[in-house]
PDB file of all heavy atoms in Angstrom:
ATOM      1  N   SER H  57      27.966 -26.006 -47.898  1.00 91.00           N
ATOM      2  CA  SER H  57      29.375 -26.365 -47.952  1.00 91.00           C
ATOM      3  C   SER H  57      29.554 -27.827 -48.367  1.00 91.00           C
ATOM      4  O   SER H  57      30.407 -28.151 -49.201  1.00 91.00           O
ATOM      5  CB  SER H  57      30.020 -26.119 -46.587  1.00 91.00           C
ATOM      6  OG  SER H  57      31.341 -26.595 -46.570  1.00 91.00           O
ATOM      7  N   LEU H  58      28.742 -28.707 -47.783  1.00 91.00           N
ATOM      8  CA  LEU H  58      28.830 -30.128 -48.143  1.00 91.00           C
ATOM      9  C   LEU H  58      28.471 -30.358 -49.601  1.00 91.00           C
ATOM     10  O   LEU H  58      29.118 -31.160 -50.295  1.00 91.00           O
ATOM     11  CB  LEU H  58      27.919 -30.962 -47.242  1.00 91.00           C
ATOM     12  CG  LEU H  58      28.396 -31.137 -45.799  1.00 91.00           C
ATOM     13  CD1 LEU H  58      27.315 -31.817 -44.982  1.00 91.00           C
ATOM     14  CD2 LEU H  58      29.674 -31.941 -45.752  1.00 91.00           C
ATOM     15  N   LYS H  59      27.457 -29.659 -50.088  1.00 91.00           N
ATOM     16  CA  LYS H  59      27.086 -29.793 -51.497  1.00 91.00           C
ATOM     17  C   LYS H  59      28.241 -29.370 -52.401  1.00 91.00           C
ATOM     18  O   LYS H  59      28.521 -30.019 -53.416  1.00 91.00           O
ATOM     19  CB  LYS H  59      25.851 -28.950 -51.811  1.00 91.00           C
ATOM     20  CG  LYS H  59      24.567 -29.568 -51.381  1.00 91.00           C
ATOM     21  CD  LYS H  59      23.395 -28.696 -51.816  1.00 91.00           C
ATOM     22  CE  LYS H  59      22.085 -29.322 -51.520  1.00 91.00           C
ATOM     23  NZ  LYS H  59      20.955 -28.485 -51.945  1.00 91.00           N
ATOM     24  N   ASN H  60      28.896 -28.271 -52.017  1.00 92.00           N
ATOM     25  CA  ASN H  60      30.043 -27.802 -52.804  1.00 92.00           C
ATOM     26  C   ASN H  60      31.156 -28.856 -52.802  1.00 92.00           C
ATOM     27  O   ASN H  60      31.773 -29.118 -53.833  1.00 92.00           O
ATOM     28  CB  ASN H  60      30.565 -26.473 -52.259  1.00 92.00           C
ATOM     29  CG  ASN H  60      29.632 -25.329 -52.558  1.00 92.00           C
ATOM     30  OD1 ASN H  60      28.812 -25.405 -53.462  1.00 92.00           O
ATOM     31  ND2 ASN H  60      29.739 -24.259 -51.783  1.00 92.00           N
ATOM     32  N   GLN H  61      31.413 -29.441 -51.635  1.00 90.00           N
ATOM     33  CA  GLN H  61      32.449 -30.470 -51.541  1.00 90.00           C
ATOM     34  C   GLN H  61      32.103 -31.669 -52.424  1.00 90.00           C
ATOM     35  O   GLN H  61      32.962 -32.202 -53.131  1.00 90.00           O
ATOM     36  CB  GLN H  61      32.631 -30.925 -50.093  1.00 90.00           C
ATOM     37  CG  GLN H  61      33.282 -29.895 -49.205  1.00 90.00           C
ATOM     38  CD  GLN H  61      33.383 -30.370 -47.763  1.00 90.00           C
ATOM     39  OE1 GLN H  61      33.109 -31.525 -47.458  1.00 90.00           O
ATOM     40  NE2 GLN H  61      33.783 -29.483 -46.872  1.00 90.00           N
ATOM     41  N   VAL H  62      30.843 -32.092 -52.380  1.00 90.00           N
ATOM     42  CA  VAL H  62      30.423 -33.237 -53.196  1.00 90.00           C
ATOM     43  C   VAL H  62      30.593 -32.909 -54.675  1.00 90.00           C
ATOM     44  O   VAL H  62      31.106 -33.726 -55.452  1.00 90.00           O
ATOM     45  CB  VAL H  62      28.955 -33.627 -52.877  1.00 90.00           C
ATOM     46  CG1 VAL H  62      28.422 -34.595 -53.912  1.00 90.00           C
ATOM     47  CG2 VAL H  62      28.868 -34.238 -51.498  1.00 90.00           C
ATOM     48  N   GLY H  63      30.180 -31.704 -55.074  1.00 87.00           N
ATOM     49  CA  GLY H  63      30.311 -31.302 -56.479  1.00 87.00           C
ATOM     50  C   GLY H  63      31.762 -31.303 -56.936  1.00 87.00           C
ATOM     51  O   GLY H  63      32.075 -31.786 -58.030  1.00 87.00           O
ATOM     52  N   GLU H  64      32.658 -30.781 -56.102  1.00 87.00           N
ATOM     53  CA  GLU H  64      34.080 -30.751 -56.441  1.00 87.00           C
ATOM     54  C   GLU H  64      34.650 -32.167 -56.560  1.00 87.00           C
ATOM     55  O   GLU H  64      35.431 -32.459 -57.459  1.00 87.00           O
ATOM     56  CB  GLU H  64      34.851 -29.956 -55.397  1.00 87.00           C
ATOM     57  CG  GLU H  64      34.572 -28.470 -55.429  1.00 87.00           C
ATOM     58  CD  GLU H  64      35.190 -27.722 -54.260  1.00 87.00           C
ATOM     59  OE1 GLU H  64      35.978 -28.342 -53.501  1.00 87.00           O
ATOM     60  OE2 GLU H  64      34.888 -26.533 -54.106  1.00 87.00           O
ATOM     61  N   LEU H  65      34.235 -33.022 -55.634  1.00 85.00           N
ATOM     62  CA  LEU H  65      34.742 -34.398 -55.669  1.00 85.00           C
ATOM     63  C   LEU H  65      34.229 -35.153 -56.896  1.00 85.00           C
ATOM     64  O   LEU H  65      34.974 -35.920 -57.510  1.00 85.00           O
ATOM     65  CB  LEU H  65      34.354 -35.138 -54.382  1.00 85.00           C
ATOM     66  CG  LEU H  65      35.066 -34.655 -53.112  1.00 85.00           C
ATOM     67  CD1 LEU H  65      34.472 -35.340 -51.895  1.00 85.00           C
ATOM     68  CD2 LEU H  65      36.552 -34.919 -53.201  1.00 85.00           C
ATOM     69  N   GLU H  66      32.982 -34.919 -57.267  1.00 84.00           N
ATOM     70  CA  GLU H  66      32.445 -35.595 -58.449  1.00 84.00           C
ATOM     71  C   GLU H  66      33.152 -35.123 -59.714  1.00 84.00           C
ATOM     72  O   GLU H  66      33.409 -35.909 -60.626  1.00 84.00           O
ATOM     73  CB  GLU H  66      30.935 -35.336 -58.553  1.00 84.00           C
ATOM     74  CG  GLU H  66      30.127 -36.110 -57.538  1.00 84.00           C
ATOM     75  CD  GLU H  66      28.642 -35.760 -57.583  1.00 84.00           C
ATOM     76  OE1 GLU H  66      28.280 -34.701 -58.133  1.00 84.00           O
ATOM     77  OE2 GLU H  66      27.864 -36.557 -57.049  1.00 84.00           O
ATOM     78  N   LYS H  67      33.466 -33.821 -59.795  1.00 84.00           N
ATOM     79  CA  LYS H  67      34.146 -33.273 -60.963  1.00 84.00           C
ATOM     80  C   LYS H  67      35.567 -33.818 -61.087  1.00 84.00           C
ATOM     81  O   LYS H  67      36.047 -34.082 -62.171  1.00 84.00           O
ATOM     82  CB  LYS H  67      34.190 -31.746 -60.891  1.00 84.00           C
ATOM     83  CG  LYS H  67      32.862 -31.080 -61.122  1.00 84.00           C
ATOM     84  CD  LYS H  67      32.986 -29.580 -60.953  1.00 84.00           C
ATOM     85  CE  LYS H  67      31.637 -28.908 -61.006  1.00 84.00           C
ATOM     86  NZ  LYS H  67      31.717 -27.484 -60.741  1.00 84.00           N
ATOM     87  N   SER H  68      36.241 -33.953 -60.007  1.00 79.00           N
ATOM     88  CA  SER H  68      37.648 -34.343 -60.057  1.00 79.00           C
ATOM     89  C   SER H  68      37.827 -35.814 -60.409  1.00 79.00           C
ATOM     90  O   SER H  68      38.848 -36.211 -60.949  1.00 79.00           O
ATOM     91  CB  SER H  68      38.332 -34.042 -58.728  1.00 79.00           C
ATOM     92  OG  SER H  68      37.888 -34.956 -57.735  1.00 79.00           O
ATOM     93  N   GLY H  69      36.848 -36.651 -60.095  1.00 67.00           N
ATOM     94  CA  GLY H  69      36.981 -38.078 -60.381  1.00 67.00           C
ATOM     95  C   GLY H  69      37.954 -38.774 -59.446  1.00 67.00           C
ATOM     96  O   GLY H  69      38.222 -39.966 -59.607  1.00 67.00           O
ATOM     97  N   ASP H  70      38.514 -38.074 -58.486  1.00 62.00           N
ATOM     98  CA  ASP H  70      39.488 -38.645 -57.551  1.00 62.00           C
ATOM     99  C   ASP H  70      38.871 -38.829 -56.170  1.00 62.00           C
ATOM    100  O   ASP H  70      39.473 -38.487 -55.148  1.00 62.00           O
ATOM    101  CB  ASP H  70      40.724 -37.732 -57.440  1.00 62.00           C
ATOM    102  CG  ASP H  70      41.482 -37.639 -58.739  1.00 62.00           C
ATOM    103  OD1 ASP H  70      41.456 -38.631 -59.499  1.00 62.00           O
ATOM    104  OD2 ASP H  70      42.072 -36.581 -58.994  1.00 62.00           O
ATOM    105  N   VAL H  71      37.682 -39.376 -56.125  1.00 56.00           N
ATOM    106  CA  VAL H  71      36.998 -39.557 -54.846  1.00 56.00           C
ATOM    107  C   VAL H  71      37.669 -40.692 -54.090  1.00 56.00           C
ATOM    108  O   VAL H  71      37.788 -41.799 -54.557  1.00 56.00           O
ATOM    109  CB  VAL H  71      35.500 -39.875 -55.081  1.00 56.00           C
ATOM    110  CG1 VAL H  71      34.789 -40.085 -53.765  1.00 56.00           C
ATOM    111  CG2 VAL H  71      34.849 -38.754 -55.865  1.00 56.00           C
TER     112      VAL H  71
END
Side-chain angles (χ1 to χ4, degrees):
S57 173
L58 287 172
K59 281 184 175 180
N60 288 339
Q61 289 177 9
V62 168
E64 290 172 8
L65 291 173
E66 286 176 342
K67 288 177 187 175
S68 72
D70 295 330
V71 179

